[in-house]
Amino acid sequence: MLTMTLKPSALHPEAALHSFIVEAGDPFVFEIRQGQVVRIVDLEGNQAVDTIFYNAHDYADRYSAQDTIREQGNIYLTTDTKLLSTNGNVLLTVIADTCGRHDTLGGACAAESNMVRYDLTKRSMHACRNSFLKGLQLWNHGMDKRDITSNINFFMNVPVTPEGKLTFEDGVSDAGKYVELRAEMDVLMVISNCPQLNNPCNGYNPTPVQILIWDTNV
């Protein structure tokens, strides 16, 4: 299924409990409590936001791309998608989406994958795996590289070809587009605001994103 289900939010930014700007290439780690709503805003458009979610009380129970795709019958995330964990828990539900398509197959860029996909000289370039590692170190709750697992690429366009291959294409997002999720349990959100310069996932120009959090039970 390739349907994009667009739905705007009724929440107002000025009423948000928290507001953060995450610069391109930076990590961001935050606990979202059950019932709270988080919005990720693509401020300038065409920016991939790599994100991993964990059960805040059991980090071994984390977002599962396989279970999420199987249960919803769709390789893309959009309004009403339930994000399932490795233990079968519903971590969050997408309750609003003005972009309509978010990737759950492409994974996170790394120094190693940059070399394999693009050129050996790309090894020194910053990548999402570096940001995830930095974020976990700053969080300082005993997590390490073994805890970096399957991630979501919000706003990223990764079509699947008829041959079953993945391609990294120009994004379908635009300035001000957002995705909003309600936490169905206490969750830890770990973001890498993607610094990738070797494919069009960021329009070859990585930009900041905004994170808004409401303390509400919508």
Side-chain angles (χ1 to χ4, degrees):
M1 295 174 61
L2 304 180
T3 303
M4 295 197 294
T5 308
L6 303 181
K7 181 181 178 182
S9 172
L11 297 176
H12 300 288
E14 60 271 18
L17 182 66
H18 301 288
S19 177
F20 306 95
I21 300 296
V22 184
E23 298 293 336
D26 281 357
F28 177 77
V29 184
F30 199 83
E31 276 194 5
I32 306 166
R33 298 302 180 187
Q34 184 177 18
Q36 290 185 328
V37 172
V38 57
R39 180 188 296 179
I40 304 172
V41 186
D42 188 359
L43 290 174
E44 298 183 32
N46 212 14
Q47 174 63 30
V49 185
D50 293 40
T51 308
I52 308 176
F53 292 106
Y54 303 82
N55 177 340
H57 304 290
D58 178 9
Y59 295 148
D61 184 30
R62 68 279 302 264
Y63 167 73
S64 170
Q66 299 94 320
D67 293 303
T68 300
I69 291 169
R70 184 192 66 244
E71 289 302 310
Q72 70 163 341
N74 195 332
I75 61 174
Y76 301 111
L77 311 181
T78 187
T79 308
D80 297 327
T81 298
K82 296 183 183 302
L83 306 185
L84 298 185
S85 74
T86 50
N87 288 350
N89 294 309
V90 179
L91 296 169
L92 307 100
T93 301
V94 180
I95 59 172
D97 185 9
T98 61
C99 175
R101 179 180 294 180
H102 308 276
D103 167 64
T104 194
L105 294 176
C109 57
E112 294 79 8
S113 63
N114 282 340
M115 287 193 299
V116 171
R117 289 173 176 162
Y118 308 113
D119 191 272
L120 290 176
T121 61
K122 306 297 184 181
R123 181 181 180 87
S124 61
M125 295 184 72
H126 189 56
C128 283
R129 187 170 176 85
N130 302 113
S131 291
F132 282 142
L133 282 169
K134 181 179 179 180
L136 294 181
Q137 288 173 344
L138 292 173
W139 183 242
N140 196 26
H141 280 61
M143 303 171 78
D144 58 27
K145 62 183 179 181
R146 292 170 294 186
D147 294 293
I148 301 175
T149 181
S150 57
N151 65 282
I152 299 164
N153 296 308
F154 288 112
F155 309 114
M156 189 168 165
N157 185 22
V158 185
V160 178
T161 70
E163 296 76 28
K165 296 181 179 180
L166 301 180
T167 60
F168 297 89
E169 303 293 343
D170 197 20
V172 297
S173 184
D174 201 353
K177 299 285 187 181
Y178 60 81
V179 59
E180 201 169 270
L181 305 100
R182 180 183 61 233
E184 307 297 355
M185 59 192 302
D186 295 343
V187 296
L188 179 70
M189 177 173 67
V190 181
I191 283 176
S192 166
N193 192 20
C194 184
Q196 182 59 256
L197 290 168
N198 297 293
N199 70 51
C201 72
N202 295 321
Y204 301 103
N205 178 39
T207 53
V209 297
Q210 184 181 26
I211 308 298
L212 295 165
I213 298 172
W214 287 265
D215 193 7
T216 181
N217 288 310
V218 297

